[in-house]
Amino acid sequence: MFQHNIGAPLIGGHEGVGCADEHVKIGDRVGMKWLAASEEQLSRSLGAAAFVDFMKEKDLVAAVKAATHDGLGPDAAIIAASGAKSYEQAISYVRPAGVLVPVGLPPDASISLDVFWSVFETKRVVPLYVGNRLDAIESLQLAADGLVRVMYQTQKLSDLPSIY
């Protein structure tokens, strides 16, 4: 994750989209600011610099771009959504030379990509299924340093369909 030469999502820029405690802490460590798109109160408590409500925005692409310091969009977007629309929006709002990192596995989803503009703007799609050993070591070190806060709720197994 911290290798500069592969353009990983948390390196090579100053702003990213997403929100999870570990993502925010890793981003902090490399000087990134986070723009969250869900769970505003939680996101802000974790350190998100800005918030855009993906459920309420009529033009999410424009709203995300407007929330960045220069209006060009974030350097990276880490998306773990359950539908293809989130991934297509992300490739539209990352800045030129930006990176879309799909980490979700939505069934039967594909991304439509404008080849001309993706080449012209040198946008990249870097799928990530699981990390490598170095990613695991660095992530565990964040936890060992006390930088990751574990949040959980105990629920009944029968509630699983309504939770996930």
Side-chain angles (χ1 to χ4, degrees), residues 11-101:
I11 295 299
H14 304 289
E15 296 172 303
V17 176
C19 193
D21 192 26
E22 184 179 356
H23 295 150
V24 172
K25 296 305 178 190
I26 292 169
D28 286 348
R29 216 175 237 194
V30 297
M32 290 185 80
K33 298 175 191 168
W34 282 92
L35 184 156
S38 65
E39 301 183 34
E40 182 173 14
Q41 185 176 2
L42 172 63
S43 299
R44 290 197 186 274
S45 75
L46 293 173
F51 179 79
V52 174
D53 191 333
F54 79 96
M55 296 293 285
K56 294 180 181 173
E57 287 294 337
K58 292 182 179 168
D59 186 348
L60 183 66
V61 172
V64 168
K65 286 182 174 185
T68 60
H69 75 282
D70 59 6
L72 293 176
D75 295 292
I78 300 172
I79 307 296
S82 60
K85 184 175 180 181
S86 298
Y87 299 90
E88 288 186 3
Q89 289 172 320
I91 198 66
S92 297
Y93 62 62
V94 293
R95 68 179 47 243
V99 181
L100 164 60
V101 182

